[in-house]
Amino acid sequence: MDREELLSTVFRLMEAETGDLTCERPGHADGHICLPVADHVVVPDDVLRSRYPGVYWRDETPMALPDGHDWDHAWAHGMRAVAVGQDADGGSVIAVAERTIPGPVELPADMSWVERLVAITGGPPSPVPAPDWAAVESRLGTPLPGDYKRLVEAFGCDGTFNGFFDVFSPDELIWHTDYHAGGDLAYGEEHPPFPAPGGLIPWANNEHEQNYLWITEGPDPDRWPVYAVDSLDEGGRFECTATEFLFRQMTDQKHPFHTAAENSRGHWFQKLPSRNS
């Protein structure tokens, strides 16, 4: 197959959330399909990097890839991933494979919400440096919830969850807070922007123009409730941490706030180019 046929086949297999992946190569187990790349075809890394930004895997294989191949990198989407590498004979090969990650109900009850997000997404694509939280909180003018700090330290948050949820990095959080405070963006008289008492600090949004904020009630940021607002400025209060709210938004089809969980049969974190550069 030529380059365009190869890409079309990859995209079709990646979007197929159901059905079996059965490789026709002798000795290969089910759970993947190897797509050999002809000598005259350039491996379409550039298109795959554009379609699935952020390398999903480098050192381990949390998917059903065949042994005896040298896999360079892979990208995740839903319940499947695409990997690029060389087969046992040294030829270029692309494989589409099932992702072997746990579902929400399989997780131990004592896992933290950040650990749950790492488990269901397969984790961040690579380690990220921890922010200077003292400097961040000094610029913002308030301590931040510990679970948000752990979330940023785990993922970096310069990307999206499920290609849909955008958790702000510290710089973005400060920018959105300043923008919110400087404009006519209060969600009702009872929810003014920070730094007013009980004011709102935005920490995430999504592709449906829904916004997630903290209500800065009291001196303990770990007890701040989440305030979720839809595109019509209709909001609801949730007595939980930001990371628990995000996890339930991603996984709970019965979540009371307009969940997108029914549209995602698998979960992933997609690292994007820096939006602060």
Side-chain angles (χ1 to χ4, degrees):
M1 62 180 70
D2 62 22
R3 176 185 169 94
E4 293 306 315
E5 291 172 331
L6 184 62
L7 284 170
S8 176
T9 300
V10 169
F11 295 156
R12 175 177 55 81
L13 292 171
M14 288 287 282
E15 295 298 331
E17 297 291 336
T18 59
D20 295 330
L21 293 176
T22 303
C23 190
E24 297 180 357
R25 291 195 171 190
H28 282 202
D30 292 343
H32 80 281
I33 293 179
C34 285
L35 303 171
V37 181
D39 292 340
H40 66 281
V41 176
V42 177
V43 177
D45 270 20
D46 56 340
V47 179
L48 294 175
R49 290 177 189 275
S50 175
R51 180 78 172 245
Y52 308 108
V55 176
Y56 165 65
W57 155 80
R58 290 183 186 274
D59 302 318
E60 298 180 356
T61 55
M63 60 191 82
L65 291 175
D67 294 331
H69 289 40
D70 183 12
W71 301 106
D72 297 325
H73 40 251
W75 300 268
H77 182 85
M79 291 300 295
R80 294 187 175 174
V82 56
V84 174
Q86 293 77 45
D87 62 19
D89 297 323
S92 296
V93 64
I94 294 177
V96 176
E98 295 173 351
R99 297 175 63 208
T100 52
I101 55 175
V105 297
E106 302 172 271
L107 301 177
D110 60 351
M111 289 185 75
S112 72
W113 295 108
V114 174
E115 290 172 333
R116 289 168 182 262
L117 282 171
V118 170
I120 66 169
T121 60
S126 58
V128 294
D132 182 345
W133 289 116
V136 170
E137 293 173 333
S138 176
R139 290 169 59 195
L140 187 62
T142 180
L144 286 166
D147 87 303
Y148 168 77
K149 295 180 184 179
R150 292 187 291 273
L151 178 63
V152 172
E153 289 169 357
F155 288 92
C157 293
D158 51 350
T160 63
F161 290 87
N162 288 7
F164 184 81
F165 299 97
D166 180 4
V167 176
F168 300 152
S169 69
D171 285 343
E172 290 177 313
L173 188 149
I174 292 170
W175 185 92
H176 280 276
T177 301
D178 290 344
Y179 181 77
H180 184 70
D184 186 20
L185 295 175
Y187 298 108
E189 293 182 0
E190 72 277 19
H191 293 302
F194 182 83
L200 298 176
I201 293 179
W203 58 268
N205 59 21
N206 65 35
E207 286 196 351
H208 287 176
E209 297 182 358
Q210 297 168 340
N211 294 280
Y212 310 137
L213 312 97
W214 290 296
I215 304 175
T216 58
E217 294 179 344
D220 184 359
D222 291 330
R223 300 180 65 86
W224 289 348
V226 168
Y227 189 65
V229 186
D230 64 19
S231 59
L232 300 177
D233 287 349
E234 296 180 357
R237 176 186 174 119
F238 296 88
E239 302 294 338
C240 64
T241 68
T243 307
E244 178 183 352
F245 182 86
L246 176 62
F247 180 88
R248 294 192 183 281
Q249 277 279 287
M250 290 170 60
T251 62
D252 185 357
Q253 296 186 11
K254 297 182 180 180
H255 194 279
F257 186 78
H258 311 290
T259 181
E262 66 271 16
N263 299 321
S264 298
R265 301 188 60 189
H267 308 285
W268 69 100
F269 178 74
Q270 177 174 301
K271 185 175 175 63
L272 300 175
S274 175
R275 292 164 291 186
N276 300 314
S277 60

